[in-house]
Amino acid sequence: MQQKSVPDQQSEILSQSEISLFRNSLKQNICVELLLDGFHRSFSEIFSLLSSDVDRRTAIEPGPSVTVPTPLEEQWDKLETMRLHLRRAEQAENTGSWAVVCDQRLVLGHYFSALEDVWLALHFFHSCADREQGGRTRPATEARARMAEIYLQLGELQRAKRQAELCLHQAEEGGWLDSDGRPLRLRALRALWRVYSRLADAPLDAEDHDEALKLLHEGHSIAVESEDKRSESEACYRLGVTYQRAGDRDTAKQLIGSC
């Protein structure tokens, strides 16, 4: 029987760090790696998010139709994506490259697009847009547009309105495009029109036609400014229907006919 050479024997001996990959959990390996490489802020942020995930899942009341999401610490792809981009963001922060910091956080916000990950998306979008340094860069402005859309989907209209207005103000200053090449200013206007349209629902339900019309007129002006013909047509139609409910049939007929 041929004896193995020394190099062959050495290649079979695993290092302590390699052994830890088998012994430790995924969360432990990623956190230890960040600490050993000096990325202390990234470690703290991931550790905090993992703790928040535990609290969120603990707060879910069990039931036959309730599905408890998979623990974040068991989802390798999400943890690895956070590790990668937070490292890059921290490296950029150390050199004062604030636009790069915000861009890495914007990437993370877009990555967590699934419904169950909305809380993570909002965390990274906020951490991108609400920064003292970099909070008025192009990536931060796009993060505000995305938050406006998310809050609108969640029915948190005042938060959506605030983010859309901030995005609009910053986009008008910078003249920026979003990641898909669309003007951020127009994206903010479209979100803002939808906010005003939704805000009009409550006074309409209460038969407060004057307040509903006030909000819908504001929304219509924004829709026209957005250069989105579909939004403008929807805004015009909603105004027409509301005038009809208020008893002004002539104005209603004119508006509905024009759209």
Side-chain angles (χ1 to χ4, degrees):
M1 180 176 180
Q2 185 177 0
Q3 186 177 4
K4 292 184 179 179
S5 64
V6 174
D8 287 338
Q9 291 174 334
Q10 289 177 341
S11 67
E12 293 180 357
I13 301 174
L14 298 176
S15 67
Q16 186 174 357
S17 61
E18 290 172 325
I19 293 172
S20 69
L21 293 174
F22 297 96
R23 289 182 175 175
N24 299 337
S25 68
L26 173 63
K27 176 184 72 173
Q28 288 174 312
N29 288 328
I30 285 180
C31 289
V32 168
E33 179 185 341
L34 288 171
L35 286 174
L36 290 176
D37 291 344
F39 293 99
H40 298 103
R41 291 191 296 277
S42 299
F43 160 77
S44 296
E45 187 167 352
I46 289 180
F47 190 84
S48 176
L49 289 171
L50 288 168
S51 298
S52 296
D53 179 62
V54 172
D55 294 339
R56 289 177 66 259
R57 288 185 296 102
T58 302
I60 297 175
E61 296 185 3
S65 60
V66 176
T67 301
V68 179
T70 303
L72 181 59
E73 64 180 47
E74 296 177 10
Q75 301 184 63
W76 177 89
D77 54 337
K78 295 178 181 179
L79 288 179
E80 180 60 22
T81 300
M82 285 194 290
R83 182 197 66 81
L84 173 65
H85 292 285
L86 286 178
R87 281 173 61 112
R88 292 176 179 174
E90 189 167 344
Q91 285 176 323
E93 189 174 351
N94 291 338
T95 60
S97 303
W98 306 114
V100 177
V101 174
C102 290
D103 191 58
Q104 292 300 309
R105 291 183 173 277
L106 178 67
V107 169
L108 282 170
H110 282 304
Y111 175 79
F112 291 104
S113 58
L115 183 61
E116 66 180 36
D117 295 328
V118 163
W119 69 282
L120 285 168
L122 286 172
H123 167 82
F124 288 114
F125 284 137
H126 270 294
S127 72
C128 172
D130 297 341
R131 304 182 62 84
E132 183 177 350
Q133 292 104 342
R136 302 185 76 83
T137 58
R138 190 213 65 80
T141 303
E142 181 174 343
R144 293 204 183 279
R146 188 67 188 102
M147 283 192 288
E149 293 160 357
I150 291 176
Y151 281 128
L152 185 61
Q153 293 170 0
L154 296 175
E156 299 185 31
L157 301 182
Q158 291 302 326
R159 287 185 173 183
K161 182 173 179 288
R162 172 170 172 74
Q163 294 300 331
E165 289 172 342
L166 287 170
C167 175
L168 180 60
H169 179 67
Q170 293 177 199
E172 286 177 336
E173 288 181 347
W176 290 305
L177 304 178
D178 65 13
S179 300
D180 298 321
R182 300 172 297 181
L184 275 168
R185 175 181 173 275
L186 299 185
R187 186 169 177 176
L189 286 168
R190 283 194 289 270
L192 201 53
W193 127 248
R194 291 196 293 271
V195 169
Y196 275 98
S197 179
R198 293 275 297 277
L199 286 171
D201 290 341
L204 271 175
D205 291 340
E207 299 296 326
D208 186 351
H209 299 124
D210 289 341
E211 179 63 20
L213 286 169
K214 178 183 175 181
L215 291 167
L216 290 173
H217 271 293
E218 182 70 23
H220 179 264
S221 298
I222 293 170
V224 172
E225 193 177 353
S226 75
E227 301 177 15
D228 183 341
K229 293 302 180 183
R230 178 175 179 177
S231 296
E232 184 178 348
S233 179
E234 290 176 359
C236 193
Y237 179 78
R238 284 218 67 187
L239 268 174
V241 170
T242 304
Y243 271 111
Q244 187 171 25
R245 290 180 60 174
D248 189 342
R249 297 183 181 277
D250 291 338
T251 303
K253 183 177 180 180
Q254 181 181 358
L255 286 165
I256 294 174
S258 68
C259 71

